[in-house]
Coordinates of all heavy atoms in Angstrom, one line a residue:
M11 N 0.8 -1.2 0.0 CA 0.0 0.0 0.0 C 0.8 1.2 0.0 O 1.9 1.3 0.7 CB -0.9 0.0 1.2 CG -1.8 1.2 1.4 SD -2.8 1.2 2.8 CE -3.9 -0.1 2.5
K12 N 0.5 2.2 -0.8 CA 1.4 3.4 -0.9 C 1.2 4.1 0.4 O 0.2 4.2 1.2 CB 0.9 4.2 -2.1 CG 1.1 3.6 -3.4 CD 0.9 4.5 -4.5 CE 1.1 3.8 -5.9 NZ 2.5 3.7 -6.2
K13 N 2.2 4.9 0.8 CA 2.3 5.6 2.1 C 1.3 6.7 2.1 O 0.6 6.8 3.3 CB 3.7 6.2 2.3 CG 3.9 6.6 3.6 CD 5.4 6.9 3.9 CE 5.6 7.1 5.4 NZ 6.9 7.2 5.7
F14 N 1.0 7.5 1.1 CA -0.1 8.5 1.2 C -1.4 7.9 1.5 O -2.3 8.5 2.1 CB -0.1 9.4 0.0 CG -0.5 8.8 -1.3 CD1 -2.0 9.0 -1.5 CD2 0.2 8.2 -2.2 CE1 -2.4 8.4 -2.7 CE2 -0.3 7.6 -3.4 CZ -1.6 7.8 -3.7
L15 N -1.7 6.8 0.9 CA -2.9 6.1 1.0 C -3.2 5.6 2.5 O -4.2 5.7 3.0 CB -3.2 4.9 0.1 CG -4.5 4.3 0.0 CD1 -5.6 5.2 -0.4 CD2 -4.5 3.1 -1.0
A16 N -2.1 5.1 3.1 CA -2.2 4.6 4.5 C -2.4 5.9 5.4 O -3.3 5.8 6.3 CB -0.8 3.9 4.8
I17 N -1.7 7.1 5.1 CA -1.9 8.3 5.9 C -3.3 8.6 5.8 O -4.0 9.1 6.8 CB -0.9 9.4 5.5 CG1 0.5 8.9 5.8 CG2 -1.3 10.7 6.1 CD1 1.5 9.8 5.1
Y18 N -3.8 8.6 4.6 CA -5.2 9.1 4.3 C -6.3 8.2 5.1 O -7.1 8.7 5.7 CB -5.4 9.1 2.8 CG -6.9 9.2 2.4 CD1 -7.5 10.5 2.5 CD2 -7.7 8.1 1.9 CE1 -8.8 10.7 2.1 CE2 -9.0 8.3 1.5 CZ -9.5 9.6 1.6 OH -11.0 9.8 1.3
L19 N -6.1 6.9 4.9 CA -7.1 6.0 5.5 C -7.1 6.1 7.1 O -8.1 6.1 7.8 CB -6.8 4.5 5.1 CG -7.0 4.3 3.6 CD1 -6.6 2.8 3.4 CD2 -8.5 4.4 3.4
I20 N -5.9 6.2 7.7 CA -5.8 6.4 9.1 C -6.4 7.8 9.6 O -7.3 7.8 10.5 CB -4.4 6.4 9.6 CG1 -3.7 5.0 9.4 CG2 -4.1 7.0 11.1 CD1 -2.2 4.9 9.6
T21 N -6.2 8.8 8.7 CA -6.8 10.1 9.1 C -8.4 10.0 9.0 O -9.1 10.4 9.9 CB -6.3 11.1 8.3 OG1 -4.8 11.1 8.3 CG2 -6.9 12.6 8.5
I22 N -8.9 9.4 8.0 CA -10.3 9.2 7.8 C -10.9 8.4 8.9 O -11.9 8.7 9.4 CB -10.6 8.6 6.4 CG1 -10.2 9.6 5.3 CG2 -12.1 8.3 6.3 CD1 -11.0 10.8 5.3
A23 N -10.2 7.3 9.3 CA -10.6 6.4 10.4 C -10.8 7.3 11.8 O -11.8 7.1 12.5 CB -9.8 5.2 10.7
V24 N -9.8 8.0 12.1 CA -9.7 8.8 13.3 C -10.8 9.9 13.2 O -11.7 10.1 14.3 CB -8.4 9.4 13.5 CG1 -8.4 10.5 14.6 CG2 -7.3 8.4 13.8
T25 N -11.1 10.5 12.2 CA -12.1 11.6 12.0 C -13.5 10.9 12.1 O -14.4 11.6 12.7 CB -11.9 12.4 10.8 OG1 -11.9 11.7 9.7 CG2 -10.7 13.3 10.9
A26 N -13.7 9.8 11.5 CA -14.9 9.1 11.6 C -15.3 8.7 12.9 O -16.5 8.7 13.4 CB -15.0 7.9 10.6
I27 N -14.4 8.1 13.6 CA -14.6 7.7 15.0 C -14.9 8.9 15.8 O -15.9 8.8 16.7 CB -13.5 6.9 15.6 CG1 -13.4 5.5 14.9 CG2 -13.5 6.7 17.1 CD1 -12.1 4.7 15.1
T28 N -14.1 9.9 15.7 CA -14.4 11.2 16.5 C -15.7 11.8 16.2 O -16.4 12.2 17.1 CB -13.2 12.2 16.3 OG1 -12.0 11.6 16.5 CG2 -13.4 13.4 17.2
S29 N -16.1 11.8 14.9 CA -17.4 12.3 14.5 C -18.5 11.5 15.1 O -19.6 12.0 15.5 CB -17.5 12.3 13.0 OG -16.6 13.1 12.4
F30 N -18.4 10.2 15.2 CA -19.3 9.4 15.7 C -19.6 9.7 17.2 O -20.7 9.6 17.7 CB -18.9 7.8 15.5 CG -20.0 6.9 16.1 CD1 -21.2 6.7 15.5 CD2 -19.8 6.2 17.1 CE1 -22.2 5.9 16.1 CE2 -20.6 5.3 17.8 CZ -21.9 5.1 17.2
L31 N -18.4 9.8 17.9 CA -18.5 10.1 19.2 C -19.0 11.5 19.6 O -19.8 11.6 20.6 CB -17.1 10.0 19.9 CG -16.5 8.6 20.0 CD1 -15.1 8.7 20.5 CD2 -17.4 7.6 20.8
L32 N -18.9 12.5 18.7 CA -19.4 13.8 18.9 C -20.9 14.0 18.5 O -21.6 14.8 19.0 CB -18.5 14.8 18.1 CG -17.1 15.0 18.7 CD1 -16.4 16.0 17.8 CD2 -17.2 15.6 20.1
A33 N -21.4 13.1 17.6 CA -22.8 13.3 17.0 C -23.6 12.1 17.5 O -24.5 11.7 16.8 CB -22.7 13.2 15.5
T34 N -23.4 11.7 18.8 CA -24.3 10.6 19.2 C -25.7 11.1 19.4 O -26.7 10.2 19.3 CB -23.7 10.0 20.5 OG1 -23.7 11.0 21.5 CG2 -22.5 9.3 20.3
D35 N -26.1 12.3 19.6 CA -27.5 12.7 19.9 C -28.1 13.1 18.6 O -29.3 13.0 18.6 CB -27.4 14.0 20.8 CG -26.8 13.7 22.2 OD1 -26.8 12.6 22.6 OD2 -26.3 14.7 22.8
D36 N -27.4 13.5 17.6 CA -28.0 13.9 16.4 C -27.3 13.2 15.2 O -26.3 13.6 14.7 CB -27.9 15.5 16.2 CG -28.8 15.9 15.0 OD1 -29.6 15.1 14.4 OD2 -28.5 17.1 14.6
E37 N -28.1 12.3 14.6 CA -27.5 11.4 13.6 C -27.2 12.3 12.3 O -26.3 12.0 11.5 CB -28.3 10.2 13.2 CG -28.5 9.2 14.3 CD -29.6 9.6 15.3 OE1 -30.5 10.4 15.0 OE2 -29.6 9.0 16.4
S38 N -28.0 13.3 12.0 CA -27.9 14.0 10.8 C -26.7 15.0 10.9 O -26.2 15.4 9.8 CB -29.1 14.9 10.5 OG -29.2 15.9 11.6
A39 N -26.2 15.2 12.0 CA -25.1 16.0 12.2 C -23.7 15.3 12.0 O -22.6 16.0 11.9 CB -25.1 16.7 13.5
F40 N -23.7 14.0 11.9 CA -22.5 13.2 11.7 C -21.8 13.7 10.5 O -20.6 13.8 10.5 CB -22.8 11.8 11.6 CG -21.7 10.9 11.2 CD1 -20.7 10.6 12.2 CD2 -21.5 10.5 9.9 CE1 -19.6 9.8 11.9 CE2 -20.4 9.7 9.6 CZ -19.4 9.3 10.5
G41 N -22.5 13.7 9.3 CA -21.7 14.2 8.0 C -21.1 15.5 8.2 O -20.0 15.8 7.7
F42 N -21.8 16.5 8.8 CA -21.3 17.9 8.9 C -20.0 17.9 9.8 O -19.0 18.4 9.6 CB -22.3 18.7 9.4 CG -22.0 20.2 9.4 CD1 -21.7 20.8 8.2 CD2 -21.8 20.9 10.6 CE1 -21.3 22.2 8.2 CE2 -21.4 22.3 10.6 CZ -21.1 22.9 9.5
I43 N -20.1 17.1 11.0 CA -19.0 17.1 11.9 C -17.8 16.4 11.2 O -16.6 16.8 11.3 CB -19.4 16.4 13.2 CG1 -20.4 17.3 14.0 CG2 -18.2 16.2 14.1 CD1 -21.0 16.7 15.1
F44 N -18.1 15.3 10.6 CA -17.1 14.6 9.8 C -16.4 15.5 8.7 O -15.1 15.5 8.6 CB -17.7 13.3 9.1 CG -16.8 12.5 8.3 CD1 -15.8 11.8 9.0 CD2 -16.9 12.4 6.9 CE1 -14.9 10.9 8.2 CE2 -16.0 11.6 6.2 CZ -15.0 10.9 6.8
G45 N -17.2 16.2 8.0 CA -16.5 17.2 7.0 C -15.8 18.2 7.6 O -14.7 18.6 7.2
L46 N -16.2 18.8 8.8 CA -15.5 19.9 9.4 C -14.3 19.4 10.0 O -13.1 20.0 9.8 CB -16.3 20.5 10.6 CG -17.4 21.5 10.2 CD1 -18.1 22.0 11.3 CD2 -16.8 22.7 9.3
L47 N -14.2 18.2 10.6 CA -13.0 17.6 11.1 C -12.0 17.2 10.0 O -10.8 17.3 10.2 CB -13.3 16.3 12.0 CG -14.0 16.5 13.3 CD1 -14.2 15.2 14.0 CD2 -12.9 17.4 14.2
N48 N -12.5 16.9 8.9 CA -11.6 16.5 7.8 C -11.0 17.8 7.2 O -9.8 17.8 6.8 CB -12.4 15.7 6.7 CG -12.5 14.3 6.9 OD1 -11.5 13.7 7.6 ND2 -13.6 13.6 6.4
L49 N -11.8 18.9 7.1 CA -11.3 20.1 6.5 C -10.1 20.7 7.6 O -9.1 21.1 7.1 CB -12.3 21.1 6.4 CG -13.4 21.0 5.4 CD1 -14.5 21.9 5.4 CD2 -12.6 21.1 4.0
L50 N -10.4 20.5 8.9 CA -9.3 20.9 9.9 C -8.1 20.0 9.7 O -7.0 20.6 9.7 CB -10.0 20.9 11.2 CG -10.9 22.0 11.6 CD1 -11.6 21.6 12.9 CD2 -10.3 23.3 11.5
A51 N -8.3 18.7 9.6 CA -7.1 17.8 9.6 C -6.4 18.1 8.2 O -5.2 18.0 8.3 CB -7.6 16.3 9.7
G52 N -7.1 18.2 7.1 CA -6.5 18.4 5.8 C -5.6 19.7 5.9 O -4.5 19.7 5.3
G53 N -6.2 20.7 6.4 CA -5.3 21.9 6.4 C -4.1 21.8 7.3 O -3.0 22.3 6.8
D54 N -4.2 21.1 8.4 CA -3.1 20.9 9.2 C -2.1 20.0 8.4 O -0.9 20.2 8.6 CB -3.5 20.2 10.5 CG -4.2 21.1 11.5 OD1 -4.2 22.3 11.3 OD2 -4.8 20.6 12.3
M55 N -2.6 19.0 7.8 CA -1.6 18.0 7.1 C -0.9 18.9 5.9 O 0.2 18.6 5.7 CB -2.4 16.9 6.5 CG -2.8 16.0 7.4 SD -4.0 14.7 6.9 CE -2.8 13.7 6.0
L56 N -1.6 19.8 5.2 CA -0.9 20.6 4.2 C 0.2 21.5 4.8 O 1.3 21.6 4.3 CB -2.0 21.4 3.5 CG -2.9 20.7 2.5 CD1 -3.9 21.8 1.9 CD2 -2.1 20.0 1.5
F57 N -0.1 22.0 5.9 CA 0.9 22.8 6.7 C 2.1 22.0 7.1 O 3.3 22.3 6.8 CB 0.3 23.5 7.8 CG 1.1 24.4 8.6 CD1 1.7 25.5 8.2 CD2 1.6 24.0 9.9 CE1 2.5 26.3 8.9 CE2 2.4 24.8 10.6 CZ 2.9 25.9 10.2
I58 N 1.9 20.8 7.6 CA 2.9 19.9 8.0 C 3.7 19.5 6.8 O 5.0 19.4 6.9 CB 2.3 18.7 8.8 CG1 1.8 19.2 10.2 CG2 3.4 17.7 9.0 CD1 1.0 18.2 10.9
G59 N 3.0 19.2 5.8 CA 3.7 18.7 4.5 C 4.6 19.7 3.9 O 5.8 19.4 3.5
I60 N 4.2 21.0 4.0 CA 5.0 22.2 3.5 C 6.2 22.2 4.4 O 7.4 22.5 3.9 CB 4.2 23.5 3.4 CG1 3.2 23.3 2.2 CG2 5.1 24.5 3.2 CD1 2.2 24.5 2.2
I61 N 6.0 22.2 5.6 CA 7.2 22.3 6.6 C 8.2 21.1 6.4 O 9.4 21.3 6.4 CB 6.7 22.2 8.0 CG1 6.0 23.5 8.4 CG2 7.9 22.0 9.1 CD1 5.4 23.7 9.7
M62 N 7.6 19.9 6.1 CA 8.5 18.7 5.8 C 9.2 18.9 4.5 O 10.5 18.6 4.5 CB 7.6 17.5 5.8 CG 7.1 17.1 7.1 SD 6.0 15.6 7.0 CE 7.2 14.3 6.7
L63 N 8.7 19.5 3.5 CA 9.4 19.7 2.2 C 10.5 20.8 2.4 O 11.6 20.7 2.0 CB 8.5 20.2 1.2 CG 7.4 19.3 0.5 CD1 6.5 19.9 -0.4 CD2 8.3 18.2 -0.3
I64 N 10.2 21.8 3.3 CA 11.3 22.9 3.5 C 12.4 22.3 4.4 O 13.6 22.6 4.2 CB 10.6 24.0 4.2 CG1 9.6 24.8 3.2 CG2 11.7 25.0 4.8 CD1 8.7 25.9 4.0
A65 N 12.0 21.4 5.3 CA 13.1 20.8 6.1 C 13.9 19.7 5.4 O 15.0 19.4 5.9 CB 12.4 20.1 7.3
G66 N 13.5 19.3 4.2 CA 14.3 18.4 3.5 C 13.8 17.0 3.4 O 14.4 16.1 2.7
A67 N 12.7 16.7 4.0 CA 12.1 15.3 3.9 C 11.1 15.3 2.7 O 10.0 15.2 2.9 CB 11.6 14.9 5.2
S68 N 11.7 15.4 1.5 CA 10.8 15.6 0.3 C 9.9 14.4 0.1 O 8.7 14.7 -0.2 CB 11.7 15.8 -0.9 OG 12.5 14.7 -1.2
E69 N 10.3 13.2 0.2 CA 9.5 12.1 -0.1 C 8.2 12.0 0.8 O 7.1 11.9 0.4 CB 10.2 10.7 -0.1 CG 9.4 9.6 -0.7 CD 9.0 9.8 -2.1 OE1 9.8 10.4 -2.8 OE2 8.0 9.2 -2.4
N70 N 8.6 12.1 2.2 CA 7.5 12.0 3.2 C 6.7 13.3 3.1 O 5.4 13.3 3.2 CB 8.0 12.0 4.6 CG 8.7 10.6 4.9 OD1 8.3 9.6 4.2 ND2 9.6 10.6 5.7
G71 N 7.2 14.5 2.8 CA 6.5 15.7 2.6 C 5.5 15.6 1.5 O 4.3 16.0 1.6
K72 N 5.9 15.0 0.4 CA 5.0 14.8 -0.8 C 3.8 13.9 -0.4 O 2.7 14.1 -0.7 CB 5.7 14.2 -1.9 CG 6.6 15.2 -2.7 CD 7.4 14.5 -3.8 CE 8.4 15.4 -4.3 NZ 9.2 14.7 -5.4
N73 N 4.1 12.7 0.4 CA 3.0 11.9 0.7 C 2.1 12.5 1.8 O 0.9 12.4 1.5 CB 3.7 10.7 1.4 CG 4.4 9.8 0.5 OD1 3.9 9.6 -0.6 ND2 5.4 9.1 0.9
V74 N 2.5 13.4 2.6 CA 1.7 14.0 3.4 C 0.8 15.1 2.8 O -0.4 15.3 3.0 CB 2.4 14.7 4.7 CG1 1.5 15.6 5.6 CG2 3.1 13.7 5.5
L75 N 1.5 15.8 1.7 CA 0.7 16.7 1.0 C -0.4 16.1 0.2 O -1.5 16.6 0.0 CB 1.6 17.6 0.1 CG 2.4 18.7 0.6 CD1 3.4 19.3 -0.3 CD2 1.6 19.7 1.2
I76 N -0.1 15.1 -0.5 CA -1.1 14.2 -1.2 C -2.3 13.8 -0.3 O -3.5 14.0 -0.7 CB -0.5 13.1 -2.0 CG1 0.5 13.6 -3.1 CG2 -1.6 12.2 -2.6 CD1 1.3 12.5 -3.7
A77 N -1.9 13.2 0.9 CA -2.9 12.7 1.8 C -3.7 13.9 2.4 O -5.0 13.8 2.5 CB -2.3 12.0 3.0
G78 N -3.1 15.1 2.5 CA -3.8 16.3 3.0 C -4.8 16.8 2.0 O -5.9 17.2 2.4
G79 N -4.5 16.7 0.7 CA -5.4 17.1 -0.4 C -6.5 16.2 -0.4 O -7.7 16.7 -0.6
L80 N -6.4 14.9 -0.3 CA -7.5 13.9 -0.4 C -8.4 14.1 0.9 O -9.7 14.0 0.7 CB -6.9 12.4 -0.4 CG -6.2 12.1 -1.7 CD1 -5.6 10.7 -1.5 CD2 -7.2 12.1 -2.8
V81 N -7.8 14.4 2.0 CA -8.5 14.7 3.1 C -9.4 15.9 3.0 O -10.7 16.0 3.4 CB -7.7 14.7 4.6 CG1 -8.5 15.1 5.7 CG2 -7.1 13.3 4.8
L82 N -8.8 17.0 2.5 CA -9.6 18.2 2.2 C -10.7 17.9 1.2 O -11.8 18.4 1.4 CB -8.7 19.3 1.7 CG -7.9 20.1 2.7 CD1 -6.9 21.0 1.8 CD2 -8.8 20.9 3.5
L83 N -10.5 17.2 0.2 CA -11.4 16.8 -0.8 C -12.6 16.1 -0.1 O -13.8 16.3 -0.3 CB -10.9 16.1 -1.9 CG -11.8 15.5 -3.0 CD1 -12.3 16.6 -3.8 CD2 -11.1 14.6 -3.9
T84 N -12.3 15.1 0.8 CA -13.3 14.3 1.4 C -14.1 15.1 2.5 O -15.4 15.0 2.5 CB -12.6 13.2 2.3 OG1 -11.8 12.4 1.4 CG2 -13.7 12.3 3.0
G85 N -13.5 16.1 3.0 CA -14.2 17.0 4.0 C -15.1 18.0 3.1 O -16.2 18.2 3.6
G86 N -14.6 18.5 2.1 CA -15.6 19.3 1.2 C -16.6 18.6 0.7 O -17.8 19.1 0.7
I87 N -16.6 17.4 0.4 CA -17.6 16.5 -0.1 C -18.7 16.3 1.1 O -19.9 16.3 0.8 CB -17.2 15.2 -0.8 CG1 -16.4 15.5 -2.1 CG2 -18.4 14.2 -0.9 CD1 -15.7 14.3 -2.7
A88 N -18.1 15.9 2.1 CA -19.0 15.6 3.3 C -19.8 16.9 3.7 O -20.9 16.7 4.1 CB -18.2 15.0 4.5
C89 N -19.1 18.0 3.8 CA -19.8 19.3 4.2 C -20.9 19.7 3.1 O -21.9 20.2 3.5 CB -18.8 20.3 4.4 SG -18.1 20.3 6.0
S90 N -20.7 19.4 1.8 CA -21.6 19.8 0.8 C -22.8 18.9 0.8 O -23.9 19.3 0.3 CB -21.0 19.8 -0.5 OG -20.5 18.6 -1.0
I91 N -22.6 17.6 1.2 CA -23.8 16.7 1.2 C -24.7 17.1 2.4 O -25.9 16.8 2.3 CB -23.3 15.3 1.2 CG1 -22.7 14.9 0.0 CG2 -24.4 14.3 1.6 CD1 -21.9 13.6 -0.2
Y92 N -24.2 17.5 3.5 CA -25.0 17.8 4.8 C -26.3 18.6 4.5 O -27.3 18.1 5.1 CB -24.1 18.5 5.8 CG -24.8 18.8 7.1 CD1 -25.3 17.8 7.9 CD2 -25.2 20.2 7.2 CE1 -26.0 18.1 9.0 CE2 -25.8 20.4 8.5 CZ -26.3 19.4 9.3 OH -26.9 19.8 10.4
P93 N -26.3 19.7 3.8 CA -27.5 20.4 3.7 C -28.6 19.6 3.0 O -29.8 19.9 3.3 CB -27.2 21.7 2.9 CG -25.8 21.8 3.0 CD -25.3 20.4 3.2
F94 N -28.3 18.7 2.4 CA -29.4 17.9 1.6 C -29.8 16.8 2.5 O -30.9 16.1 2.1 CB -28.8 17.2 0.2 CG -28.3 18.3 -0.7 CD1 -27.0 18.5 -1.0 CD2 -29.3 19.2 -1.3 CE1 -26.6 19.5 -1.8 CE2 -28.8 20.2 -2.1 CZ -27.5 20.3 -2.4
T95 N -29.3 16.6 3.7 CA -29.8 15.5 4.5 C -30.6 15.9 5.7 O -31.0 15.2 6.5 CB -28.6 14.7 5.0 OG1 -27.8 15.6 5.8 CG2 -27.8 14.0 4.0
L96 N -30.9 17.3 5.7 CA -31.6 17.8 6.8 C -33.2 17.3 6.7 O -33.8 17.2 5.6 CB -31.7 19.3 6.8 CG -30.3 20.0 6.9 CD1 -30.4 21.5 6.8 CD2 -29.8 19.6 8.4
N97 N -33.8 17.1 7.8 CA -35.2 16.7 7.9 C -36.0 17.8 8.1 O -36.5 18.1 9.2 CB -35.3 15.6 8.9 CG -34.5 14.3 8.7 OD1 -34.3 14.0 7.6 ND2 -34.0 13.8 9.8
G98 N -36.4 18.5 7.1 CA -37.4 19.6 7.1 C -36.7 20.9 7.1 O -36.6 21.9 7.0

């Protein structure tokens, strides 16, 4: 398995579990919380990836940047689906 895919899957698993724990009272909010956590994690990962590239760890920095971009994409999709799942 490619390293960026492993980083992506671990990040998605952590944000999904955290979203589930935070949205136990309102099931419809799960997608929105999941999206917000992914957007935050993706932004952090992009920042960390840029720092890693500047520091000289180019291969690991590229993997973190790719995974961060995928996490941002997933967060954007999850947040954009949320308004269509409201009940009323």
